[in-house]
Amino acid sequence: MDGASLLERYLERCTGQDDLSTSPQLFTPMSPYDLDLPVQPTPDASFGSQFNQPRELPPDFSCVDLSFLPDISQDDKEQNPSEDGNEMQKELDGSESRNEDSGIFTEESGLSYPDATQPSSETSGVCPPLTPMTPMTPVTPASESSGIVPQLQNIVSTVNLACKLDLKNIALHARNAEYNPKRFAAVIMRIREPRTTALIFSSGKMVCTGAKSEEQSRLAARKYARVVQKLGFPAKFLDFKIQNMVGSCDVRFPIRLEGLVLTHQQFSSYEPELFPGLIYRMVKPRIVLLIFVSGKVVLTGAKERSEIYEAFENIYPILKGFKKAS
Amino acid sequence: MAAAAARASCPACGSSALVEDAHYAQQQLVCAACGCVLAEGLLTTTYAEEEHLREVAYSQSTGQKEQLSRCLQRGIRRVQDLCKVLQLPSVFEETAVSYFQRALQHPSFHLVSLEKKELLGGCCVFVTCRQHNWPLTMGTICSLLYAKKELFASVYLSVQKELELSVPALSLMDLVKTHLNSFRLFQCAADIPAPFVEDKEKMVARTMQIVELASETWLVTGRHPIPIVTAAAFLSWQSLQPAARLTCTFARFCKVAGVDLPPPAHLRLKELHEILLRMASQLTWLRVFKMDKKVAVKHIGDLLQHRIFLLKKSFCVEDAEEQRAGAQGEGSPPAAGGAPQEEVRPSEGKRQRDGERRPLLPPCLIKPKKRLRTAAPSASDLAITGDEPISDSEIEQYLRDQEEIQAFSKAKAWL
């Protein structure tokens, strides 16, 4: 496919960034920018997985977050080639071969991939804009992926039993229930397998916590619904939804939290007077990470497992960068 | 004005064309010919004030104060008082008041309790100080507001989030200077024995060096800063005149200095002693002495002077994990560089000398607390689909039978 070969050439150019002098001919055909974006055909799948946004991509990418890329839209096609031609000539002539591929793209849009959306792009190495586009041919070498998988520790889910419940009755007839209306307006019920706790409210809504996987959470919620059914209420199982997932892992080296809060100030909150860990609010995906000096990381706020894995893969290069510096 | 108006002519040019005009809402009697102002009115709000010739404040006359709710006014006054007590520059006061106004208008803070609103004022002052790198601790603000620390913490975090303020980290070095200001050891006083008095500059300089050393050896990250500064101050004070002061205990030192001794400070002191001992044992001219804490403290000056060298000798720079990896010849080489092959031999040689050295790691990694480690999900756990059939017997184990219900209700009736 033409799009793929254009993309490959583009990739080669990025990896051979330092050898500008040896391969000037790669730059002369301005065609990559004339034709349909190399962006378009390939990353349909990759964008879908990277961004938690509508799965089908509109051709103009207006709702996908491509703020790190310059405006290579249909309109700019004409102006781009000439400007890029100048830029690339400058690249060839100039001695400065900038680490980031942005050199070729720098135009009036001024390259600033907003730190807020791509915190890892600064550290990921040669061609940051490419990382989300081409997961199958990563520019950064594969050995840099962490090899550590966060383990899920807690899943919180809710379900609607769709019937009014008599909590006093439930507390009387069920062994595993506790109900103290003065303290809290719900029955606290526990089951042994999977080991979970549920809060059952009189409106029929229920919160299930403590499971270690999504399937376990669903099974546990169904068991609670069965208990309520057996107690004589017409309980149903509607709108089961995972509300929060918590994972944790260990990077196995100590981390200088004071340094991290200096370089990532917009995302980090480190108050040793209040809490020994650093609270990192990642924007994409929207996850809160608690980072401790021992190297243990807790990730929370996810609605899906992939968000936790993605957040950890984003934070690992940042933390690794700190290890070498200390 | 009435008297002047009775005059029909302007004293300057003599013309009789006098006009009553308003200049910026101030009534004036002006001569139309030459522009000379014959008389002008006073700016007052009420006839009563004018009568009593009392000066009316600008904020009262323009109705600015009436626009603000009483709660907001009270809060602003509180913030201003706090700034005055802490002797903050006036810029801080303006910033803090503006933050407070923004915060109070925010929906999440509009209806909180009065107690929280007061804390909100304290938070705004705290944030302002931190943004200007003025070392103010939460403990100080809490004691000024008579607030509970947990409540202050929650209000502070929500202020930070809602107003989207970026608060830089506390500067430890400034904190040292501020905290040492409250020590009463720098002037002779009746209740302070003569050998206890110390020169402020020397003590501040040495305390800062010890705090830096603590920071390099992972004693500061994640911990409350004040106990560390207190312990460092004690050590520096002892080392400046060891003969007289080595016998003084930490508690007595704090009492004499008029400073609180926070509970974690003892642990920090112990950790600092351990670091100093390790460094001292690497110092060749101290090897003749039998090494103990007192000797280490006595020679803190020397230890600080050669700290870079001593730290390198006392602690392995690589962390424990790479040591283990090095044995298997794998893993990326650390800053020392070299191929994995070379890695094996030096790390083995190092391990022989390692009896005296330990890796430079935070204390929580050196002495890990025994914790119930949750097992990795087993195979059967992973196979759960969530839609398995649920057996009746399993559910029935959670239900009470009749006798149990009766017994339970009887027991409850008793209670």
Side-chain angles (χ1 to χ4, degrees), chain A residues 151 153 171-176 190-193 212 215-216 218-219 222-223 226-227 230-231 252-258 261 265 269-274 276 281 293-294 296 323 326, chain B residues 130 137-138 149 153 156 160 168-169 215-216 218 221-224 319 321-322 361-362 364-365 374-377 381 384-388 390 392 394-400 404-405 408:
Chain A
Q151 209 184 333
Q153 301 291 352
L172 182 61
H173 286 83
R175 285 193 182 127
N176 55 344
R190 295 170 223 269
I191 56 174
R192 278 183 282 272
E193 187 54 50
K212 298 272 191 241
E215 299 82 15
Q216 279 190 14
R218 191 185 157 82
L219 181 61
R222 282 175 57 225
K223 290 191 182 175
R226 279 292 283 277
V227 172
K230 284 235 186 274
L231 289 169
R252 292 197 292 265
F253 52 81
I255 302 169
R256 291 257 173 227
L257 301 178
E258 313 90 355
V261 76
Q265 200 180 20
S269 157
Y270 171 53
E271 298 288 337
E273 292 181 74
L274 290 183
R281 293 181 193 276
V293 67
S294 56
K296 305 244 182 356
K323 173 193 180 187
S326 73
Chain B
R130 282 281 285 274
T137 59
M138 291 193 194
K149 218 157 175 230
Y156 169 69
Q160 207 186 0
S215 168
E216 276 167 34
W218 294 102
T221 312
R223 271 96 170 265
H224 200 294
D319 60 330
E321 190 218 345
E322 284 195 332
L361 291 176
C364 55
L365 287 180
T374 52
D381 283 347
I384 291 184
T385 61
D387 290 315
E388 280 94 345
I390 304 170
D392 277 347
E394 188 187 346
I395 301 296
E396 263 147 33
Q397 68 175 311
Y398 294 118
L399 303 177
R400 291 200 172 111
E404 217 186 303
I405 292 176
F408 185 71

Side-chain angles (χ1 to χ4, degrees), chain B residues 128-283:
Chain B
T128 312
C129 286
R130 282 281 285 274
Q131 287 183 333
H132 293 263
N133 278 322
W134 190 278
L136 184 68
T137 59
M138 291 193 194
T140 315
I141 290 271
C142 284
S143 62
L144 282 175
L145 294 173
Y146 305 110
K148 287 182 291 231
K149 218 157 175 230
E150 296 77 28
L151 198 55
F152 182 83
S154 67
V155 175
Y156 169 69
L157 289 174
S158 36
V159 162
Q160 207 186 0
K161 205 169 82 144
E162 299 294 340
L163 295 185
E164 285 162 20
L165 301 167
S166 88
V167 184
L170 188 63
S171 153
L172 206 51
M173 292 302 135
D174 291 332
L175 184 63
V176 169
K177 282 186 242 167
T178 317
H179 192 61
L180 286 182
N181 278 338
S182 56
F183 281 53
R184 285 176 54 234
L185 294 167
F186 308 122
Q187 277 129 1
C188 298
D191 51 345
I192 301 181
F196 278 25
V197 180
E198 185 52 71
D199 172 48
K200 190 165 180 196
E201 298 300 324
K202 279 201 262 177
M203 191 152 151
V204 169
R206 189 161 277 199
T207 309
M208 280 173 69
Q209 286 183 316
I210 297 184
V211 169
E212 252 181 64
L213 177 68
S215 168
E216 276 167 34
T217 52
W218 294 102
L219 296 184
V220 168
T221 312
R223 271 96 170 265
H224 200 294
I226 295 286
I228 300 168
V229 174
T230 316
F234 176 57
L235 282 176
S236 76
W237 173 82
Q238 272 192 325
S239 68
L240 286 169
Q241 269 190 44
R245 298 173 182 169
L246 270 177
T247 48
C248 176
T249 62
F250 197 6
R252 183 154 176 246
F253 166 75
C254 289
K255 213 166 99 185
V256 169
V259 160
D260 285 333
L261 176 55
H266 280 291
L267 291 167
R268 300 297 157 261
L269 188 63
K270 223 165 67 166
E271 286 167 357
L272 275 170
H273 273 145
E274 195 236 330
I275 301 275
L276 292 171
L277 263 176
R278 279 188 182 270
M279 288 169 68
S281 55
Q282 298 293 326
L283 208 51

